[in-house]
Amino acid sequence: IALPVPLPTLFDYLPPAAGEAGVGSRVLVPFGRGKRVGVVVAIEAAAAVEGGRLKQVVRLLDDEPLLDAELMQTLAWAADYWLGAPGEAYANALPLALREPKPLPPIGDEYWSLTLAGRSAHDAGSRRGGSKALLALLVAGALSAQELTERQPGWREAARRLASAGLLARSERAPADRALPASSAPQLNDEQQQAVAVVGAALGDYQPFLLDGVTGSGKTEVYLALIEQVLAQGKQALLLVPEIGLAPQTVRRLRQRLGVLIEVLHSNLSEGDRARAWLRARAGTARVILGTRSAIFTPLPQAGLIIVDEEHDGSYKQQDGFRYHARDLA
């Protein structure tokens, strides 16, 4: 079992009394005077015990492995390559909310809309601050959690207040009249068309490409054209950006162009939102994922394309804890 401690070793435990732990599952184990959440890395039929008997896993936290075989292999490679503690590498792949011994949050689609009382409150202007802004956002119609995060970061606290007052309603189904329109693509120039053709021909196989061009030369249009091809094949695309500040404008551009919800993963999100986005990517329901360097650990069961925007940027290097380079890992 890999535990989130700065030690270059794994730890042996007896399997839990209930349930069958698989490689990639989270388990709660006794460690020192407390308990820690670890990840099962290997299962041995027998282990040599020196100077005492093994402790037993307290509880199995997952019905099925949370980390798939490919991600487990990648993390083992990363810990070896960057000389990191294996437990810190495995923990790094999980959002903070999933490093706690709690049930997984629900990952169904989430839509918020105004109730009749909410419309009256908006018309009366009786709310202030974040609550007023949220009512104003929803007055035109229901919005998804992803869209709310894009337009009003930190909206959940206001949503909880308004929902408890009966002013907001939460649903797991999109309204019948709701669709995300996709805008038409501009005509690509010869160089853009060549880049899309060369990279597009390699989709489905592993091959890295470097797209070189000055600012404003239209690299993003190449990304968008390739993501469209990936989506048409039923696969997932991951787009890494160097800074959180670039995320909102990029999300808007992606959503308007592709007509799909964009999952976002970066440190400014609430831990619950990060965990839900990570789990939706793992389930394959998130088709396009946008994030900063830590998003490289997102599980992608139908991976079709990974784009590292501004790949030369130094912010792709993690400088504390488990050190890694997101570009090289990609």
Side-chain angles (χ1 to χ4, degrees), residues 1-329:
I1 292 173
L3 295 174
V5 291
L7 297 171
T9 184
L10 300 173
F11 298 88
D12 289 338
Y13 287 86
L14 294 174
E20 188 172 335
V23 172
S25 299
R26 298 174 306 149
V27 288
L28 183 66
V29 299
F31 189 81
R33 295 182 177 178
K35 295 186 181 78
R36 287 181 182 264
V37 173
V39 175
V40 178
V41 175
I43 298 172
E44 304 289 345
V49 184
E50 295 180 8
R53 60 188 183 84
L54 295 180
K55 294 179 179 178
Q56 188 174 38
V57 169
V58 176
R59 192 165 86 247
L60 175 63
L61 298 176
D62 301 314
D63 295 330
E64 58 184 35
L66 200 58
L67 303 176
D68 61 34
E70 183 191 33
L71 189 51
M72 292 291 288
Q73 185 181 347
T74 301
L75 292 167
W77 173 86
D80 179 64
Y81 184 76
W82 283 293
L83 304 178
E88 292 189 330
Y90 288 103
N92 215 85
L94 296 170
L96 280 173
L98 301 183
R99 300 179 206 174
E100 301 289 330
K102 298 175 182 174
L104 298 179
I107 60 168
D109 289 334
E110 184 182 356
Y111 291 87
W112 291 81
S113 58
L114 295 185
T115 61
L116 287 175
R119 285 191 179 279
S120 300
H122 171 264
D123 295 341
S126 58
R127 297 281 167 161
R128 297 286 177 267
S131 296
K132 181 179 181 181
L134 186 55
L135 290 173
L137 269 181
L138 293 172
V139 73
L143 290 175
S144 69
Q146 294 98 317
E147 291 169 295
L148 288 170
T149 298
E150 170 197 335
R151 301 184 191 188
Q152 187 178 329
W155 60 274
R156 282 197 180 273
E157 188 179 343
R160 280 192 287 269
R161 286 197 304 268
L162 294 171
S164 64
L167 305 182
L168 287 192
R170 180 184 181 279
S171 166
E172 293 191 359
R173 282 194 182 176
D177 59 348
R178 170 157 178 85
L180 292 176
S183 59
S184 56
Q187 180 66 39
L188 299 181
N189 62 33
D190 291 344
E191 285 184 316
Q192 289 172 318
Q193 287 177 7
Q194 182 186 1
V196 171
V198 171
V199 180
L203 290 176
D205 299 314
Y206 169 73
Q207 188 173 349
F209 293 91
L210 177 66
L211 188 63
D212 186 28
V214 298
T215 302
S217 57
K219 296 187 293 295
T220 304
E221 284 303 327
V222 174
Y223 302 162
L224 289 166
L226 290 168
I227 293 173
E228 282 180 322
Q229 289 188 26
V230 167
L231 293 178
Q233 295 171 8
K235 295 183 178 178
Q236 296 169 289
L238 171 65
L239 172 57
L240 298 184
V241 292
E243 298 172 21
I244 292 171
L246 297 173
Q249 66 197 49
T250 310
V251 170
R252 276 193 294 275
R253 189 167 180 181
L254 287 169
R255 181 169 47 76
Q256 289 166 1
R257 173 65 176 279
L258 302 171
V260 298
L261 291 174
I262 311 300
E263 293 288 354
V264 183
L265 278 159
H266 56 66
S267 58
N268 273 11
L269 287 180
S270 72
E271 291 308 327
D273 282 339
R274 284 178 77 179
R276 280 184 282 269
W278 190 94
L279 289 167
R280 279 193 284 261
R282 173 184 172 271
T285 55
R287 311 309 302 168
V288 181
I289 299 98
L290 172 74
T292 48
R293 65 171 174 260
S294 62
I296 192 58
F297 295 108
T298 308
L300 301 168
Q302 291 116 33
L305 180 68
I306 298 176
I307 298 170
V308 185
D309 192 26
E310 305 288 341
E311 59 87 28
H312 58 278
D313 198 290
S315 61
Y316 285 120
K317 292 182 181 181
Q318 174 71 27
Q319 303 284 9
D320 51 39
F322 172 58
R323 291 165 171 78
Y324 64 91
H325 196 322
R327 178 198 63 196
D328 295 358
L329 200 50

